[in-house]
Amino acid sequence: MENKRVCIVGAGVSGLAVCKQLLARGFRPVVFEAGPTVGGVWRHTPASTRLQTARWDYEFSDFRWPETVTEVLPNHEQVMEYLESYAHRFDLLRHVRFGEKVVGVEYVGVTEEEMKAWDLWSGTGGAFGGGRRGVWHVTVQREDEPVQVHVMDFLILCIGIFSGLPNIPTFPKNKGHEVFKGKVIHFMDYSNMESTAAAELVKGKRVIVVGYLKSALDIAAECANINGSKYPCTMIIRSKRWNVNTFLAWGIPIHYMFFSRFSELLRHKPGEGLMLSLIATLLSPLLWIFAKFTESYLLKTIPMKKYEMVPKQRFFEDVFGGQISLFPENFYEKVEEGSIILKPSKTFEFYKDGILAEGETTPMETDLVIYATGFKGDQKIRNIFFSPWFQEIVGGTDTPIPLYRDIIHPHIPQMAIIGYKEGISGIFTSELRARWLACFLDDGIVLPSRRSMEKDITEWDEFYKKYACGSRKFYRRSSIIPFHTWYHDQLCKDMGSNPRRKKGFLKDLFVPYSPADYAGLEFEKKK
């Protein structure tokens, strides 16, 4: 496969996983990475950042954490060391071109009219398009050097959705940060700083953090640790969340209630027959029982009522929409001591000296505002295409980018996207997708027609809309969390591998899957 020119954009978790799997099948990919090291978003995180999932759920199936790491939730430095060790172990670094940023890509050799007329993906349904194939021109910039154009047979985007293009709220005229005399930055700016510089930025300042998910919680905790109650950090919270302080509820692991194969029986999924549909209908009340059970524990152990922070939505709605985070250590203790102030407010506006929250008459005076409001991952993917037509059809404006198996766009040939839709852990699902893609490139998978892929995507989109937070409000989160085991099953079946990875019926049904369950999967592919 050395004559096939395969390009991977990004050397984060997904990029490393794809590189490793392609090497195992004889390919020699080129990885373009804009940064100086591997790790992706883990290169730049606040000092307090830790994993949001347990260590054993955030590892490659064939590369365990070192015995020296005993923490359930390793910190960002330990994660970086783990990813670097993985890259060294499988000799990935010699395939990575650091400091080379892909500024744009263009598919040439086939006209738009030809592509629109295809019944099969890439014209033939194969990875490389057969005799009708085009090629990708990948434009790369290295610092101040002239751009270079590399010709590739297959393009794999592993650029992530939580970096690069910050999501900044918009305001009416004269109500935005342009009227504010203080400093306004995004989480991306804060996380790109060295820890000492970040600490110096917030030290002795009145800080307002906008947001209430992981990034916002980490920054608020750091500000509280640095300034204490003398200069409390205020959090503007536009949406209340069922954030948690532990993975247990009354001694029972939350994963067993929401992330096991049994829990997925409670929701009817596309492609299931009448029997499974009836089972889902009969068992669906259990989902509400599990949610109430978990909520009762959180309300007992976290003073949400005291601070008017109880969400209106059910716990499972936040879980399935990817709208839940693990509190930093002693978070509510800092709230109790006055180092962190929680301010629920759907809207707010800027004034010269601060921010006026909804329902307030006096602005909160502040020196620094930090947006922890996420990123425009869809727009970042659109921006990488030079072609206006590709920018248009790639989607992502009102709905998630349409991807078959969350990997292949039906209308964009010889290209895959890995890491777009969230799973329970970044490594868990990205590695399985990488295995699937390597199998496909190695002629081990045949894609259905474009029409069939579009139908499959539409069915799954309707499923997302139904179960991602019980409404369409958070549908744009692009999460596969509600059915990650079922999704993994489809990838396994495509590769000709047995999706039932555990020994024993009860264990397979009730014990949540982990990356270790998929070790050696590539060796089971049917010939």
Side-chain angles (χ1 to χ4, degrees), residues 465-476:
K465 293 173 184 176
K466 183 176 181 180
Y467 287 108
C469 299
S471 68
R472 302 188 181 210
K473 183 177 180 182
F474 303 115
Y475 171 50
R476 298 291 295 109

Side-chain angles (χ1 to χ4, degrees), residues 192-253:
N192 283 339
M193 298 179 182
E194 296 293 335
S195 57
T196 53
E200 191 62 31
L201 174 68
V202 303
K203 185 178 180 180
K205 291 187 177 68
R206 298 164 296 180
V207 181
I208 288 180
V209 175
V210 181
Y212 195 54
L213 287 175
K214 183 56 179 173
S215 301
L217 297 173
D218 282 345
I219 295 175
E222 289 193 3
C223 290
N225 289 333
I226 294 169
N227 291 326
S229 58
K230 183 178 180 180
Y231 297 101
C233 175
T234 300
M235 300 188 73
I236 298 290
I237 300 165
R238 295 182 294 175
S239 299
K240 300 173 185 178
R241 302 288 177 218
W242 285 105
N243 294 328
V244 302
N245 53 4
T246 177
F247 294 127
L248 302 176
W250 302 113
I252 298 177

Side-chain angles (χ1 to χ4, degrees), residues 269-281:
K269 295 168 285 297
E272 289 185 329
L274 178 61
M275 180 60 69
L276 289 177
S277 177
L278 291 174
I279 291 175
T281 301

Side-chain angles (χ1 to χ4, degrees), residues 374-436:
F375 294 85
K376 295 180 178 179
D378 294 347
Q379 186 64 51
K380 184 171 69 168
I381 292 176
R382 285 198 298 272
N383 289 350
I384 204 169
F385 297 101
F386 286 137
S387 163
W389 183 58
F390 277 3
Q391 289 180 351
E392 177 185 353
I393 67 172
V394 74
T397 302
D398 300 314
T399 60
I401 293 175
L403 298 174
Y404 176 72
R405 295 293 192 252
D406 292 326
I407 299 172
I408 298 293
H409 192 292
H411 296 279
I412 302 182
Q414 295 164 239
M415 185 201 77
I417 299 177
I418 301 288
Y420 173 65
K421 287 190 176 178
E422 296 177 81
I424 290 178
S425 97
I427 288 180
F428 196 164
T429 300
S430 286
E431 185 185 19
L432 269 180
R433 287 170 175 158
R435 292 172 187 251
W436 186 97

Side-chain angles (χ1 to χ4, degrees), residues 131-144:
R132 304 165 63 184
R133 67 189 172 103
V135 293
W136 284 97
H137 284 185
V138 181
T139 303
V140 178
Q141 176 76 59
R142 183 178 180 87
E143 296 181 351
D144 296 328

